Amino acid sequence: MTRILGISGSLRRDSHNTSLLRAAAEAAGPDVELELYDGLKEIPPYDEDDDVHPRPPSVARLNEAITSADAVLFSTPEYNSSIPGQLKNAIDWVSRPVATNALRNKPVAVVGASTGGFGAVWAQAELRKVLSALGARVLDVELPVPHAHTRFEDGGLTDDEIRAALEDVLEALTDAAEQREGLKASV
Amino acid sequence: MNSAILTIAPAGTWNLDPIHSRVDFEVSYLAGTFKGHFNEIAAELTVDDERATLEGTTNVASIDVNEENLSAHLQSPDFFDAERYPELRFTAEDIRLDGDGQVSVGGELTIKGVTKPVTVTGTVTSPMSDPYGTERIGLNLSTTIDRTDFGINWNNPLPSGEPSLANDVTVLAELQFVKQGEENK
C-alpha cells in the first residue's frame, strides 16, 4: 500500500484544486491510499523566533502527515503567476532545517487548476522549483487544468481526459515511492 | 625486463591512505569558483609488470562544502541524488607514464548512475619510504567533465540570462598510496 498525502494550495471550501485532489483519491487504485491534508489554514506565519521545540501544533501535524506519507501530491492554484502565500508559508516551515526536512528525498508531484486558460502552469513550475530547492524528489510531470469551473460538477470531476492524466501522475508517484522503499530495504 | 611500457609504481597492490588524500571539485559559480570535497574516499591501485589499474569511490553523503544546508542540497535529486546514487566511482584499467613522468589515464567515471569515459591526466611521485618504514607514492589526477553529461542539470539564471553555474567541473584527486603488506611494518 502506497500512502500519498494530498495538499491543496487553496483554502476555499469549494476549491477546484481540492476537488482535483478528491478526484485523484477516487481515481487511485486499490493499492494507493490518498489522504487529503486539511490543516493548511491553521499554519501560522513562519517566524524563526517561533521555530523552536515544540513547534506549533499545526506545523507539527503537517510535518507528521508528510513524514508518514510515502509521497505527496500538491495541487496549486495560481495567484499572480505564482503559488499562494499560505502554501509557500507551510512549505517554508516544513523545509527547516533543510538538511533533515520531511520533504527531503520524498517523491512529490504537482498538479494545478485555474479558471483561466493556462491551468496554473506557472504556479506548478514555481512549486516544483521550491520543492526541488528543499531536496524533494520532484517528478517531471505537469497537469494543468484550465477553465476549472467547467470541469467539475458538485465538486466531482467531469473530464475523463484529466482523470486519466491524474491516474498517470498517481502511477508515477507510486513508482517513485516503491523505488524508494526498495532502496531503503536494500540498505 | 625491457618493456616499452612504463608502469607508474613498483608491482603490487597499493592501498589508499585516506587521511592524506583528497578528492575535490571546482566549478565556476557567480563571480568566482565554487569548491567542495568528499570526506569519505576509497581507492586501490594494482600494479603489475604490464599495467596499473585504479578503482576509486567517494561517498556522496560525505560531500563537504562548509555549509550543512548546501551540502544537503547537493545530495538531493537536484544534484547528486545521494539516496539513489550513493557513490561516485572511477575505474581505470590501464594507467601509464608517457615518458615525461606525466600520467595519462583513460578511465570511466560514474556519477548519478551515468558512466562515461573520461581522460584523466596527472603526475605520480617516485616511490618513497616514509618515517614509518612504509613505501608510498603520490598520485595526482585531474579531469574536467561536463556535469550535464551525468544528468546534473541544476542552474539558476543570472539577470543577464546567462547561467550562474558552469557546466564544466574540474575533479581533482590527490591520492597517497601505501604498498600493501607494508603498513605498520
Side-chain angles (χ1 to χ4, degrees), chain B residues 40-81:
Chain B
E40 293 172 21
I41 58 179
E44 188 176 280
L45 178 71
T46 308
V47 184
D48 62 23
D49 292 337
E50 296 283 315
R51 60 182 188 169
T53 62
L54 173 66
E55 177 157 358
T57 56
T58 67
N59 180 6
V60 177
S62 75
I63 198 165
D64 189 340
V65 291
N66 264 336
E67 212 284 306
E68 185 190 29
N69 292 328
L70 185 52
S71 293
H73 193 198
L74 292 175
Q75 290 172 52
S76 79
D78 254 1
F79 286 90
F80 288 103
D81 198 351

mmCIF file of all heavy atoms in Angstrom, chain B residues 40-81:
data_model
loop_
_atom_site.group_PDB
_atom_site.id
_atom_site.type_symbol
_atom_site.label_atom_id
_atom_site.label_comp_id
_atom_site.label_asym_id
_atom_site.label_seq_id
_atom_site.Cartn_x
_atom_site.Cartn_y
_atom_site.Cartn_z
ATOM 1 N N GLU B 40 34.781 11.118 2.545
ATOM 2 C CA GLU B 40 34.976 9.665 2.576
ATOM 3 C C GLU B 40 35.345 9.187 1.179
ATOM 4 O O GLU B 40 34.524 9.229 0.253
ATOM 5 C CB GLU B 40 33.701 8.966 3.058
ATOM 6 C CG GLU B 40 33.397 9.290 4.513
ATOM 7 C CD GLU B 40 32.043 8.753 4.944
ATOM 8 O OE1 GLU B 40 31.514 7.824 4.300
ATOM 9 O OE2 GLU B 40 31.499 9.301 5.925
ATOM 10 N N ILE B 41 36.585 8.749 1.041
ATOM 11 C CA ILE B 41 37.043 8.257 -0.254
ATOM 12 C C ILE B 41 37.739 6.916 -0.060
ATOM 13 O O ILE B 41 38.244 6.605 1.024
ATOM 14 C CB ILE B 41 38.001 9.261 -0.943
ATOM 15 C CG1 ILE B 41 39.214 9.561 -0.054
ATOM 16 C CG2 ILE B 41 37.285 10.552 -1.245
ATOM 17 C CD1 ILE B 41 40.205 10.516 -0.690
ATOM 18 N N ALA B 42 37.722 6.124 -1.098
ATOM 19 C CA ALA B 42 38.390 4.823 -1.052
ATOM 20 C C ALA B 42 39.015 4.589 -2.418
ATOM 21 O O ALA B 42 38.480 5.042 -3.436
ATOM 22 C CB ALA B 42 37.383 3.713 -0.730
ATOM 23 N N ALA B 43 40.140 3.908 -2.447
ATOM 24 C CA ALA B 43 40.770 3.607 -3.735
ATOM 25 C C ALA B 43 41.774 2.479 -3.561
ATOM 26 O O ALA B 43 42.291 2.250 -2.457
ATOM 27 C CB ALA B 43 41.483 4.843 -4.295
ATOM 28 N N GLU B 44 41.982 1.792 -4.646
ATOM 29 C CA GLU B 44 43.026 0.767 -4.654
ATOM 30 C C GLU B 44 43.724 0.810 -6.002
ATOM 31 O O GLU B 44 43.085 0.917 -7.054
ATOM 32 C CB GLU B 44 42.434 -0.616 -4.407
ATOM 33 C CG GLU B 44 43.505 -1.675 -4.224
ATOM 34 C CD GLU B 44 42.897 -3.037 -3.886
ATOM 35 O OE1 GLU B 44 42.546 -3.247 -2.704
ATOM 36 O OE2 GLU B 44 42.780 -3.876 -4.798
ATOM 37 N N LEU B 45 45.030 0.732 -5.938
ATOM 38 C CA LEU B 45 45.853 0.761 -7.145
ATOM 39 C C LEU B 45 46.569 -0.587 -7.232
ATOM 40 O O LEU B 45 47.186 -1.026 -6.256
ATOM 41 C CB LEU B 45 46.869 1.901 -7.015
ATOM 42 C CG LEU B 45 47.871 2.108 -8.133
ATOM 43 C CD1 LEU B 45 47.178 2.660 -9.376
ATOM 44 C CD2 LEU B 45 48.963 3.089 -7.678
ATOM 45 N N THR B 46 46.442 -1.207 -8.374
ATOM 46 C CA THR B 46 47.104 -2.505 -8.561
ATOM 47 C C THR B 46 48.082 -2.375 -9.721
ATOM 48 O O THR B 46 47.709 -1.940 -10.807
ATOM 49 C CB THR B 46 46.060 -3.601 -8.881
ATOM 50 O OG1 THR B 46 45.032 -3.558 -7.894
ATOM 51 C CG2 THR B 46 46.705 -4.979 -8.857
ATOM 52 N N VAL B 47 49.295 -2.732 -9.469
ATOM 53 C CA VAL B 47 50.336 -2.579 -10.487
ATOM 54 C C VAL B 47 50.986 -3.936 -10.743
ATOM 55 O O VAL B 47 51.356 -4.639 -9.801
ATOM 56 C CB VAL B 47 51.424 -1.583 -10.008
ATOM 57 C CG1 VAL B 47 52.450 -1.351 -11.119
ATOM 58 C CG2 VAL B 47 50.798 -0.265 -9.572
ATOM 59 N N ASP B 48 51.082 -4.295 -12.023
ATOM 60 C CA ASP B 48 51.898 -5.457 -12.372
ATOM 61 C C ASP B 48 52.912 -5.021 -13.428
ATOM 62 O O ASP B 48 53.061 -3.825 -13.686
ATOM 63 C CB ASP B 48 51.031 -6.650 -12.818
ATOM 64 C CG ASP B 48 50.224 -6.357 -14.074
ATOM 65 O OD1 ASP B 48 50.622 -5.446 -14.842
ATOM 66 O OD2 ASP B 48 49.200 -7.038 -14.298
ATOM 67 N N ASP B 49 53.609 -5.960 -14.034
ATOM 68 C CA ASP B 49 54.659 -5.579 -14.970
ATOM 69 C C ASP B 49 54.111 -4.912 -16.223
ATOM 70 O O ASP B 49 54.835 -4.235 -16.950
ATOM 71 C CB ASP B 49 55.470 -6.830 -15.379
ATOM 72 C CG ASP B 49 56.256 -7.355 -14.188
ATOM 73 O OD1 ASP B 49 56.512 -6.559 -13.271
ATOM 74 O OD2 ASP B 49 56.584 -8.557 -14.186
ATOM 75 N N GLU B 50 52.879 -5.134 -16.484
ATOM 76 C CA GLU B 50 52.292 -4.656 -17.735
ATOM 77 C C GLU B 50 51.538 -3.343 -17.577
ATOM 78 O O GLU B 50 51.600 -2.466 -18.426
ATOM 79 C CB GLU B 50 51.312 -5.709 -18.280
ATOM 80 C CG GLU B 50 51.973 -7.026 -18.650
ATOM 81 C CD GLU B 50 52.708 -6.906 -19.969
ATOM 82 O OE1 GLU B 50 52.105 -6.335 -20.897
ATOM 83 O OE2 GLU B 50 53.860 -7.355 -20.052
ATOM 84 N N ARG B 51 50.813 -3.260 -16.490
ATOM 85 C CA ARG B 51 49.945 -2.094 -16.392
ATOM 86 C C ARG B 51 49.502 -1.849 -14.943
ATOM 87 O O ARG B 51 49.743 -2.671 -14.059
ATOM 88 C CB ARG B 51 48.699 -2.298 -17.258
ATOM 89 C CG ARG B 51 47.876 -3.492 -16.861
ATOM 90 C CD ARG B 51 46.695 -3.637 -17.798
ATOM 91 N NE ARG B 51 45.769 -4.671 -17.354
ATOM 92 C CZ ARG B 51 44.577 -4.852 -17.878
ATOM 93 N NH1 ARG B 51 44.167 -4.078 -18.867
ATOM 94 N NH2 ARG B 51 43.790 -5.800 -17.439
ATOM 95 N N ALA B 52 48.870 -0.727 -14.778
ATOM 96 C CA ALA B 52 48.333 -0.385 -13.462
ATOM 97 C C ALA B 52 46.841 -0.131 -13.601
ATOM 98 O O ALA B 52 46.385 0.451 -14.593
ATOM 99 C CB ALA B 52 49.021 0.869 -12.935
ATOM 100 N N THR B 53 46.105 -0.595 -12.635
ATOM 101 C CA THR B 53 44.659 -0.339 -12.639
ATOM 102 C C THR B 53 44.286 0.394 -11.351
ATOM 103 O O THR B 53 44.895 0.179 -10.306
ATOM 104 C CB THR B 53 43.831 -1.637 -12.735
ATOM 105 O OG1 THR B 53 44.104 -2.443 -11.598
ATOM 106 C CG2 THR B 53 44.180 -2.415 -13.991
ATOM 107 N N LEU B 54 43.306 1.233 -11.483
ATOM 108 C CA LEU B 54 42.875 2.035 -10.330
ATOM 109 C C LEU B 54 41.369 1.967 -10.217
ATOM 110 O O LEU B 54 40.655 2.065 -11.211
ATOM 111 C CB LEU B 54 43.302 3.500 -10.531
ATOM 112 C CG LEU B 54 42.797 4.522 -9.508
ATOM 113 C CD1 LEU B 54 43.389 4.257 -8.134
ATOM 114 C CD2 LEU B 54 43.138 5.937 -9.966
ATOM 115 N N GLU B 55 40.908 1.775 -8.983
ATOM 116 C CA GLU B 55 39.467 1.860 -8.738
ATOM 117 C C GLU B 55 39.272 2.727 -7.509
ATOM 118 O O GLU B 55 39.886 2.487 -6.464
ATOM 119 C CB GLU B 55 38.867 0.474 -8.523
ATOM 120 C CG GLU B 55 37.393 0.545 -8.202
ATOM 121 C CD GLU B 55 36.647 -0.742 -8.531
ATOM 122 O OE1 GLU B 55 37.279 -1.673 -9.039
ATOM 123 O OE2 GLU B 55 35.443 -0.788 -8.252
ATOM 124 N N GLY B 56 38.462 3.745 -7.662
ATOM 125 C CA GLY B 56 38.250 4.651 -6.538
ATOM 126 C C GLY B 56 36.791 5.030 -6.408
ATOM 127 O O GLY B 56 36.056 5.087 -7.398
ATOM 128 N N THR B 57 36.367 5.276 -5.185
ATOM 129 C CA THR B 57 34.990 5.707 -4.943
ATOM 130 C C THR B 57 34.973 6.845 -3.923
ATOM 131 O O THR B 57 35.878 6.973 -3.106
ATOM 132 C CB THR B 57 34.103 4.560 -4.380
ATOM 133 O OG1 THR B 57 34.711 4.062 -3.188
ATOM 134 C CG2 THR B 57 33.939 3.436 -5.384
ATOM 135 N N THR B 58 33.925 7.651 -4.023
ATOM 136 C CA THR B 58 33.670 8.624 -2.961
ATOM 137 C C THR B 58 32.222 8.450 -2.521
ATOM 138 O O THR B 58 31.347 8.105 -3.324
ATOM 139 C CB THR B 58 33.856 10.080 -3.442
ATOM 140 O OG1 THR B 58 32.828 10.366 -4.405
ATOM 141 C CG2 THR B 58 35.205 10.284 -4.077
ATOM 142 N N ASN B 59 32.013 8.675 -1.247
ATOM 143 C CA ASN B 59 30.668 8.584 -0.693
ATOM 144 C C ASN B 59 29.985 9.946 -0.845
ATOM 145 O O ASN B 59 30.440 10.938 -0.274
ATOM 146 C CB ASN B 59 30.785 8.182 0.787
ATOM 147 C CG ASN B 59 29.428 8.058 1.444
ATOM 148 O OD1 ASN B 59 28.393 8.159 0.783
ATOM 149 N ND2 ASN B 59 29.424 7.865 2.750
ATOM 150 N N VAL B 60 28.908 9.979 -1.629
ATOM 151 C CA VAL B 60 28.257 11.265 -1.913
ATOM 152 C C VAL B 60 27.764 11.934 -0.625
ATOM 153 O O VAL B 60 27.810 13.160 -0.492
ATOM 154 C CB VAL B 60 27.088 11.083 -2.909
ATOM 155 C CG1 VAL B 60 26.374 12.406 -3.135
ATOM 156 C CG2 VAL B 60 27.601 10.543 -4.236
ATOM 157 N N ALA B 61 27.330 11.127 0.335
ATOM 158 C CA ALA B 61 26.820 11.697 1.593
ATOM 159 C C ALA B 61 27.916 12.425 2.370
ATOM 160 O O ALA B 61 27.626 13.196 3.284
ATOM 161 C CB ALA B 61 26.205 10.600 2.457
ATOM 162 N N SER B 62 29.167 12.189 1.999
ATOM 163 C CA SER B 62 30.268 12.842 2.720
ATOM 164 C C SER B 62 30.692 14.145 2.050
ATOM 165 O O SER B 62 31.722 14.714 2.397
ATOM 166 C CB SER B 62 31.468 11.895 2.816
ATOM 167 O OG SER B 62 32.152 11.804 1.572
ATOM 168 N N ILE B 63 29.882 14.616 1.101
ATOM 169 C CA ILE B 63 30.234 15.857 0.409
ATOM 170 C C ILE B 63 30.336 16.994 1.433
ATOM 171 O O ILE B 63 29.543 17.080 2.372
ATOM 172 C CB ILE B 63 29.198 16.182 -0.695
ATOM 173 C CG1 ILE B 63 29.758 17.175 -1.692
ATOM 174 C CG2 ILE B 63 27.893 16.690 -0.113
ATOM 175 C CD1 ILE B 63 28.942 17.260 -2.967
ATOM 176 N N ASP B 64 31.341 17.816 1.269
ATOM 177 C CA ASP B 64 31.606 18.858 2.265
ATOM 178 C C ASP B 64 31.850 20.182 1.551
ATOM 179 O O ASP B 64 32.819 20.322 0.802
ATOM 180 C CB ASP B 64 32.832 18.458 3.092
ATOM 181 C CG ASP B 64 33.045 19.368 4.294
ATOM 182 O OD1 ASP B 64 32.506 20.495 4.289
ATOM 183 O OD2 ASP B 64 33.750 18.951 5.228
ATOM 184 N N VAL B 65 30.937 21.131 1.774
ATOM 185 C CA VAL B 65 31.103 22.465 1.193
ATOM 186 C C VAL B 65 31.017 23.530 2.278
ATOM 187 O O VAL B 65 30.706 24.689 2.008
ATOM 188 C CB VAL B 65 30.062 22.736 0.082
ATOM 189 C CG1 VAL B 65 30.334 21.860 -1.127
ATOM 190 C CG2 VAL B 65 28.640 22.522 0.581
ATOM 191 N N ASN B 66 31.273 23.097 3.519
ATOM 192 C CA ASN B 66 31.331 24.034 4.645
ATOM 193 C C ASN B 66 29.987 24.636 5.015
ATOM 194 O O ASN B 66 29.950 25.655 5.707
ATOM 195 C CB ASN B 66 32.299 25.194 4.340
ATOM 196 C CG ASN B 66 33.668 24.921 4.914
ATOM 197 O OD1 ASN B 66 33.784 24.154 5.869
ATOM 198 N ND2 ASN B 66 34.684 25.521 4.335
ATOM 199 N N GLU B 67 28.908 24.062 4.538
ATOM 200 C CA GLU B 67 27.594 24.602 4.885
ATOM 201 C C GLU B 67 26.607 23.439 4.807
ATOM 202 O O GLU B 67 26.370 22.893 3.729
ATOM 203 C CB GLU B 67 27.200 25.724 3.914
ATOM 204 C CG GLU B 67 26.349 26.817 4.539
ATOM 205 C CD GLU B 67 24.909 26.408 4.749
ATOM 206 O OE1 GLU B 67 24.271 25.970 3.781
ATOM 207 O OE2 GLU B 67 24.411 26.512 5.884
ATOM 208 N N GLU B 68 26.030 23.097 5.956
ATOM 209 C CA GLU B 68 25.218 21.887 6.057
ATOM 210 C C GLU B 68 24.033 21.892 5.089
ATOM 211 O O GLU B 68 23.740 20.892 4.434
ATOM 212 C CB GLU B 68 24.718 21.757 7.498
ATOM 213 C CG GLU B 68 23.956 20.491 7.770
ATOM 214 C CD GLU B 68 23.271 20.508 9.134
ATOM 215 O OE1 GLU B 68 22.920 21.614 9.621
ATOM 216 O OE2 GLU B 68 23.081 19.439 9.693
ATOM 217 N N ASN B 69 23.357 23.040 4.996
ATOM 218 C CA ASN B 69 22.175 23.084 4.133
ATOM 219 C C ASN B 69 22.545 23.002 2.662
ATOM 220 O O ASN B 69 21.823 22.408 1.853
ATOM 221 C CB ASN B 69 21.368 24.361 4.409
ATOM 222 C CG ASN B 69 20.737 24.327 5.783
ATOM 223 O OD1 ASN B 69 20.387 23.256 6.276
ATOM 224 N ND2 ASN B 69 20.598 25.484 6.398
ATOM 225 N N LEU B 70 23.673 23.567 2.318
ATOM 226 C CA LEU B 70 24.134 23.472 0.935
ATOM 227 C C LEU B 70 24.582 22.043 0.612
ATOM 228 O O LEU B 70 24.302 21.515 -0.465
ATOM 229 C CB LEU B 70 25.265 24.476 0.702
ATOM 230 C CG LEU B 70 25.791 24.594 -0.717
ATOM 231 C CD1 LEU B 70 24.663 24.831 -1.704
ATOM 232 C CD2 LEU B 70 26.790 25.741 -0.810
ATOM 233 N N SER B 71 25.245 21.419 1.564
ATOM 234 C CA SER B 71 25.615 20.006 1.376
ATOM 235 C C SER B 71 24.364 19.165 1.136
ATOM 236 O O SER B 71 24.349 18.275 0.283
ATOM 237 C CB SER B 71 26.357 19.464 2.602
ATOM 238 O OG SER B 71 27.607 20.085 2.752
ATOM 239 N N ALA B 72 23.317 19.483 1.901
ATOM 240 C CA ALA B 72 22.054 18.742 1.752
ATOM 241 C C ALA B 72 21.476 18.951 0.356
ATOM 242 O O ALA B 72 20.974 18.011 -0.267
ATOM 243 C CB ALA B 72 21.060 19.185 2.819
ATOM 244 N N HIS B 73 21.550 20.186 -0.140
ATOM 245 C CA HIS B 73 21.026 20.445 -1.480
ATOM 246 C C HIS B 73 21.839 19.671 -2.527
ATOM 247 O O HIS B 73 21.292 19.113 -3.472
ATOM 248 C CB HIS B 73 21.050 21.951 -1.776
ATOM 249 C CG HIS B 73 20.256 22.326 -2.995
ATOM 250 N ND1 HIS B 73 20.420 23.510 -3.645
ATOM 251 C CD2 HIS B 73 19.304 21.661 -3.694
ATOM 252 C CE1 HIS B 73 19.599 23.571 -4.686
ATOM 253 N NE2 HIS B 73 18.911 22.455 -4.742
ATOM 254 N N LEU B 74 23.155 19.627 -2.343
ATOM 255 C CA LEU B 74 23.992 18.912 -3.316
ATOM 256 C C LEU B 74 23.724 17.403 -3.298
ATOM 257 O O LEU B 74 23.938 16.717 -4.282
ATOM 258 C CB LEU B 74 25.470 19.194 -3.048
ATOM 259 C CG LEU B 74 25.908 20.637 -3.338
ATOM 260 C CD1 LEU B 74 27.353 20.857 -2.924
ATOM 261 C CD2 LEU B 74 25.738 20.968 -4.818
ATOM 262 N N GLN B 75 23.242 16.903 -2.168
ATOM 263 C CA GLN B 75 22.921 15.469 -2.096
ATOM 264 C C GLN B 75 21.521 15.156 -2.619
ATOM 265 O O GLN B 75 21.164 14.001 -2.779
ATOM 266 C CB GLN B 75 23.016 14.989 -0.646
ATOM 267 C CG GLN B 75 24.425 14.946 -0.107
ATOM 268 C CD GLN B 75 24.435 14.647 1.369
ATOM 269 O OE1 GLN B 75 23.826 13.679 1.816
ATOM 270 N NE2 GLN B 75 25.098 15.466 2.139
ATOM 271 N N SER B 76 20.742 16.192 -2.870
ATOM 272 C CA SER B 76 19.340 15.995 -3.248
ATOM 273 C C SER B 76 19.230 15.622 -4.728
ATOM 274 O O SER B 76 20.199 15.695 -5.479
ATOM 275 C CB SER B 76 18.559 17.279 -2.972
ATOM 276 O OG SER B 76 18.803 18.221 -4.011
ATOM 277 N N PRO B 77 18.021 15.227 -5.158
ATOM 278 C CA PRO B 77 17.840 14.879 -6.572
ATOM 279 C C PRO B 77 18.216 16.007 -7.536
ATOM 280 O O PRO B 77 18.524 15.734 -8.699
ATOM 281 C CB PRO B 77 16.340 14.557 -6.656
ATOM 282 C CG PRO B 77 16.001 14.056 -5.286
ATOM 283 C CD PRO B 77 16.829 14.892 -4.351
ATOM 284 N N ASP B 78 18.220 17.254 -7.085
ATOM 285 C CA ASP B 78 18.651 18.370 -7.930
ATOM 286 C C ASP B 78 20.084 18.185 -8.410
ATOM 287 O O ASP B 78 20.450 18.655 -9.486
ATOM 288 C CB ASP B 78 18.616 19.675 -7.120
ATOM 289 C CG ASP B 78 17.447 20.564 -7.511
ATOM 290 O OD1 ASP B 78 16.668 20.159 -8.375
ATOM 291 O OD2 ASP B 78 17.322 21.661 -6.933
ATOM 292 N N PHE B 79 20.920 17.551 -7.572
ATOM 293 C CA PHE B 79 22.339 17.403 -7.915
ATOM 294 C C PHE B 79 22.719 15.917 -7.945
ATOM 295 O O PHE B 79 22.360 15.217 -8.878
ATOM 296 C CB PHE B 79 23.214 18.204 -6.927
ATOM 297 C CG PHE B 79 23.152 19.688 -7.155
ATOM 298 C CD1 PHE B 79 22.214 20.460 -6.508
ATOM 299 C CD2 PHE B 79 24.016 20.301 -8.046
ATOM 300 C CE1 PHE B 79 22.141 21.832 -6.738
ATOM 301 C CE2 PHE B 79 23.949 21.670 -8.289
ATOM 302 C CZ PHE B 79 23.013 22.422 -7.626
ATOM 303 N N PHE B 80 23.412 15.432 -6.924
ATOM 304 C CA PHE B 80 23.969 14.082 -6.980
ATOM 305 C C PHE B 80 22.937 12.978 -6.694
ATOM 306 O O PHE B 80 23.176 11.826 -7.013
ATOM 307 C CB PHE B 80 25.127 13.942 -5.988
ATOM 308 C CG PHE B 80 26.372 14.687 -6.408
ATOM 309 C CD1 PHE B 80 26.708 15.892 -5.823
ATOM 310 C CD2 PHE B 80 27.196 14.180 -7.397
ATOM 311 C CE1 PHE B 80 27.856 16.579 -6.215
ATOM 312 C CE2 PHE B 80 28.342 14.855 -7.795
ATOM 313 C CZ PHE B 80 28.677 16.056 -7.204
ATOM 314 N N ASP B 81 21.834 13.302 -6.057
ATOM 315 C CA ASP B 81 20.810 12.315 -5.712
ATOM 316 C C ASP B 81 21.420 11.155 -4.922
ATOM 317 O O ASP B 81 21.424 10.005 -5.361
ATOM 318 C CB ASP B 81 20.114 11.794 -6.975
ATOM 319 C CG ASP B 81 18.777 11.130 -6.646
ATOM 320 O OD1 ASP B 81 18.489 10.929 -5.456
ATOM 321 O OD2 ASP B 81 18.028 10.822 -7.590
#
